[in-house]
C-alpha cells in the first residue's frame, strides 16, 4: 500500500496536480486521484509538477487536492518558496507513478531521524462493511515507533515511520491516544475523540518532530468518504402471524409473549377455517 | 528503516536534469488546499425522522434511528410498533432514499402497523415529521411485494438521486425453517413539494 519515493529528499512528492491539463484525454474512471500533505515543520515551499508551478507558498499542515489526474508519471520538484522556477529544486525532481483508478496521498515529511523525505501512500478506497468505517494511521513524524491506544487497549502496536495501519471498525467515536511503543503514558498525542465515520476512510497522520523543543508533533487528518456498503437485506418479521400461506407459527416460541399468543390463536383459527 | 544518509545529491550537480518536456498545457486548475490540522470536516446530516404517519392506513408510529444487525442486515426495532430509520443513510429532504423499516410482527408486540403497508394505495399521503420539527410530505408512487432473493436492496439504500422515502417490511409466506418471511413489502413515496 505504500511506496517509498526518495529517502533523504525532502518535501518531495508534493506532486500533484500537474493537473489534468498536462495529461492526455482520459475518462474519469481511468483517472488517478492525488492529494498532497505537507508534513515538514517550518518549511514553506513551492511545488512544481512537470515544470509548472502548481502549489505556491505551500505550508506545513496543509492538505492539497484531491486532483483527478490521468494515469501516468508526474515529475515533481520542490523549491524554496521564493524561487523563480524549478531549475534549482531543494528536493527532487522525483517521479510519481499514478495508476488508473487508484487514490494516493503523497506526503512530504520527516523520517525517523528527522531528515526530510517523501512517501507516496495508496489510500484504501475499498467498500466498507455496512455500519463500519475505516481508520488509517500513518506515522510520518520524526519519532520512534508508537502504539495507538483506544481507551487503554493498544489497537496498533509499534507503528514506525513511514508505515501505516488500516482498521475497519463499527461506526462511532473512539477515544484514542498515541504513546511510545510499549508504554501507556505519557500520551504523545491525544487522547482525542476520533470519529469513525461510516463509509469513510479517516486517515490520521502523526507528523512533525518529537525531538524538537518544544515538540512539533501534531495530528493531520484526511477524509475519503462515499465508501459505504449497504445492509444485505431487511428482515422485518419475527413470528409468522401474517403469513400469506397461513402457515401456523411455531407455538413454543409464541408462548414467550402473551400478547403474541392471543394474536396467534386468531391466526390459527383463520387458518383452520380456511381448510 | 529510513536512515537516509545525508543526501550527496548536491544541488546544482553536473547532471543534466532530464526535464520532461512539459506539454503546452493551459494554466493548471486551482488546487484546493485545506488545513489538515483542523478537525476533519464533518458531513452535516439532516434532522432524523421522529414520526411516521400514513393516515389512510391509520398508521402513526414513532421512528427511531437504527444501524446494522450482526448478520449485516438492517437493524429493526424489536417492537413492531416502532419504526426504524437507517441512520447511516439520508435523512428526509436530503438527496437519496430515506429508508424506514418495521417488523410486520414481533415477539414483544405481536402484529404491527406495518402489516397494513401492503394495502396502501398509490397516491396515498405519507407524512414524516423530523426531530427538528420539520414536516416532510410524500405521495406513494409504488407498492410492491418482492421475493427477498430478488430484492433490489442497493437501490433502496441509494444515497444519491432525488429524495425519496422507502418503507420496508416483510410479507409473503412465513418460512418456519429459517424463521423469516419470504418476501419484502416495499412502499416508495416521493416528496409532494407541498
Amino acid at each position: 500500500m505504500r511506496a517509498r519515493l526518495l529517502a533523504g529528499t525532502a518535501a518531495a512528492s508534493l506532486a500533484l496536480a500537474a493537473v489534468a491539463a498536462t495529461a492526455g484525454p482520459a475518462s474519469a474512471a481511468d483517472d488517478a486521484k492525488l492529494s498532497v500533505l505537507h508534513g515538514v515543520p517550518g518549511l514553506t515551499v513551492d511545488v512544481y509538477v512537470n515544470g509548472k508551478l502548481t502549489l505556491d507558498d505551500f505550508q506545513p499542515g496543509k492538505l492539497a487536492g484531491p486532483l483527478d489526474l490521468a494515469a501516468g508519471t508526474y515529475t515533481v520538484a520542490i523549491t524554496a518558496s521564493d524561487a523563480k522556477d524549478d531549475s534549482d529544486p531543494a528536493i527532487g525532481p522525483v517521479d510519481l507513478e499514478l495508476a488508473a483508478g487508484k487514490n494516493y496521498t503523497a506526503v512530504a515529511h520527516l523520517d525517523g531521524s528527522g531528515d526530510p523525505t517523501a512517501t507516496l501512500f495508496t489510500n484504501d478506497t475499498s467498500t466498507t462493511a455496512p455500519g463500519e468505517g475505516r481508520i488509517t494511521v500513518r506515522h510520518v513524524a520524526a519519532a520512534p515507533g508508537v502504539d495507538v491506544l483506544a481507551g487503554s487497549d493498544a489497537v496498533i502496536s509499534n507503528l514506525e515511520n513511514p508505515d501505516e495501519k488500516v482498521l475497519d471498525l463499527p461506526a462511532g467515536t473512539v477515544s484514542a491516544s498515541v504513546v511510545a511503543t510499549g508504554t501507556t503514558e505519557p500520551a504523545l498525542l491525544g487522547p482525542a475523540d476520533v470519529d469513525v465515520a461510516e463509509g469513510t476512510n479517516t486517515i490520521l497522520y502523526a507528523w512533525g518532530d518529537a525531538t524538537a523543543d518544544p515538540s512539533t508533533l501534531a495530528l493531520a487528518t484526511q477524509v475519503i468518504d462515499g465508501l459505504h456498503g449497504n445492509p444485505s437485506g431487511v428482515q422485518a418479521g419475527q413470528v409468522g402471524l401474517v403469513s400469506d400461506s397461513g402457515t401456523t407459527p411455531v407455538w413454543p416460541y409464541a408462548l414467550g409473549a402473551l400478547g403474541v399468543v392471543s394474536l396467534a390463536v386468531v391466526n390459527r383459527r383463520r387458518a383452520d377455517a380456511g381448510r | 528503516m529510513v536512515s537516509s544518509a545525508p543526501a550527496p545529491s548536491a544541488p546544482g550537480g553536473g547532471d543534466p536534469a532530464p526535464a520532461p518536456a512539459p506539454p503546452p498545457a493551459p494554466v493548471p486548475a486551482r488546487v484546493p488546499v485545506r488545513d489538515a490540522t483542523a478537525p476533519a470536516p464533518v458531513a452535516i446530516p439532516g434532522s432524523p425522522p421522529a414520526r411516521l404517519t400514513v393516515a389512510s392506513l391509520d398508521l402513526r408510529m414513532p421512528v427511531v434511528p437504527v444501524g446494522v444487525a450482526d448478520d449485516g442486515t438492517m437493524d429493526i426495532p424489536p417492537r413492531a410498533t416502532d419504526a426504524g430509520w437507517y441512520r447511516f443513510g439520508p435523512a428526509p429532504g436530503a438527496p437519496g432514499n430515506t429508508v424506514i423499516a418495521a417488523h410486520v410482527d414481533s415477539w414483544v408486540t405481536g402484529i404491527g402497523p406495518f402489516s397494513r403497508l401492503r394495502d396502501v394505495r398509490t397516491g396515498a399521503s405519507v407524512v414524516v415529521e423530523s426531530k427538528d420539527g420539520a414536516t416532510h410530505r410524500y405521495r406513494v408512487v409504488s407498492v410492491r411485494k418482492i421475493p427477498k432473493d430478488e430484492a433490489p436492496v442497493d437501490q433502496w439504500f441509494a444515497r444519491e438521486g432525488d429524495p425519496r422515502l422507502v418503507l420496508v417490511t416483510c410479507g409473503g409466506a412465513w418460512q418456519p425453517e429459517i424463521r423469516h418471511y419470504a418476501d419484502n413489502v416495499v412502499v416508495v413515496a416521493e416528496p409532494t413539494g407541498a
Side-chain angles (χ1 to χ4, degrees):
Chain A
M1 299 301 286
R2 168 178 63 74
R4 299 307 317 288
L5 291 180
L6 286 187
T9 62
S13 73
L14 298 199
L16 236 320
V19 181
T22 59
S27 73
D30 292 334
D31 283 349
K33 283 189 185 297
L34 179 66
S35 300
V36 176
L37 177 69
H38 185 343
V40 180
L43 184 68
T44 299
V45 298
D46 288 348
V47 181
Y48 290 81
V49 181
N50 290 357
K52 296 185 75 72
L53 177 60
T54 302
L55 286 172
D56 194 15
D57 290 342
F58 193 42
Q59 296 179 339
K62 300 290 188 181
L63 179 70
L67 288 151
D68 293 315
L69 301 178
T73 300
Y74 294 84
T75 302
V76 175
I78 297 180
T79 68
S81 57
D82 58 356
K84 295 279 189 291
D85 55 36
D86 67 345
S87 60
D88 185 21
I91 304 151
V94 297
D95 288 343
L96 293 185
E97 282 186 44
L98 305 184
K102 298 283 191 181
N103 187 313
Y104 300 93
T105 303
V107 184
H109 63 98
L110 300 177
D111 67 16
S113 311
D115 296 318
T117 186
T119 303
L120 181 65
F121 291 95
T122 303
N123 302 318
D124 185 347
T125 55
S126 60
T127 300
T128 55
E132 293 192 352
R134 180 170 297 141
I135 297 291
T136 302
V137 181
R138 292 174 176 163
H139 184 333
V140 289
V146 298
D147 291 353
V148 178
L149 307 181
S152 56
D153 298 328
V155 291
I156 296 175
S157 294
N158 198 25
L159 184 70
E160 296 188 323
N161 184 320
D163 293 338
E164 68 172 1
K165 178 77 176 181
V166 180
L167 300 172
D168 280 12
L169 302 168
T173 301
V174 175
S175 177
S177 55
V178 174
V179 297
T181 292
T183 69
T184 55
E185 60 183 15
L188 303 176
L189 288 171
D193 283 344
V194 174
D195 180 21
V196 183
E198 186 261 359
T200 298
N201 186 356
T202 302
I203 306 171
L204 304 171
Y205 299 87
W207 66 282
D209 188 351
T211 65
D213 189 17
S215 166
T216 56
L217 202 60
L219 200 61
T221 307
Q222 178 182 6
V223 170
I224 301 173
D225 60 13
L227 308 180
H228 59 272
N230 293 321
S232 57
V234 179
Q235 301 291 2
Q238 291 184 315
V239 192
L241 301 179
V242 294
S243 176
D244 278 355
S245 68
T247 302
T248 306
V250 184
W251 285 98
Y253 294 116
L255 290 174
L258 286 178
V260 172
V261 170
S262 61
L263 290 162
V265 169
V266 172
N267 190 55
R268 174 75 178 262
R269 283 179 182 153
R270 279 186 190 144
D272 288 345
R275 285 177 185 156
Chain B
M1 59 186 292
V2 177
S3 61
S4 53
S9 58
D15 291 339
V27 177
R30 183 163 299 166
V31 182
V33 176
R34 76 170 185 88
D35 183 1
T37 60
V42 176
I44 300 170
S47 179
R51 254 195 113 62
L52 172 69
T53 302
V54 185
S56 64
L57 298 178
D58 196 25
L59 183 155
R60 291 171 181 80
M61 300 170 74
V63 181
V64 298
V66 296
V68 179
D70 289 343
D71 65 357
T73 61
M74 180 178 168
D75 204 10
I76 309 290
R79 299 164 55 85
T81 48
D82 293 340
W85 164 62
Y86 188 63
R87 63 187 171 91
F88 299 124
N97 292 344
T98 300
V99 180
I100 296 177
H103 280 314
V104 68
D105 59 11
S106 92
W107 292 114
V108 290
T109 58
I111 297 172
F114 264 38
S115 64
R116 304 193 287 278
L117 215 52
R118 65 184 72 177
D119 300 325
V120 76
R121 298 270 182 95
T122 300
S125 166
V126 180
V127 178
V128 174
E129 293 161 75
S130 295
K131 205 170 174 182
D132 66 0
T135 299
H136 302 267
R137 298 180 189 281
Y138 301 84
R139 189 177 56 239
V140 173
V141 294
S142 73
V143 187
R144 293 183 65 197
K145 189 170 77 170
I146 308 167
K148 284 178 181 169
D149 55 6
E150 298 172 17
V153 177
D154 285 335
Q155 289 179 26
W156 301 343
F157 288 93
R159 300 192 191 182
E160 294 172 348
D162 294 336
R164 299 194 303 179
L165 178 67
V166 178
L167 306 177
V168 187
T169 190
C170 278
W174 175 250
Q175 301 171 295
E177 66 283 4
I178 58 170
R179 294 164 63 194
H180 288 306
Y181 286 90
D183 302 335
N184 280 121
V185 173
V186 185
V187 171
V188 177
E190 294 181 343
T192 60

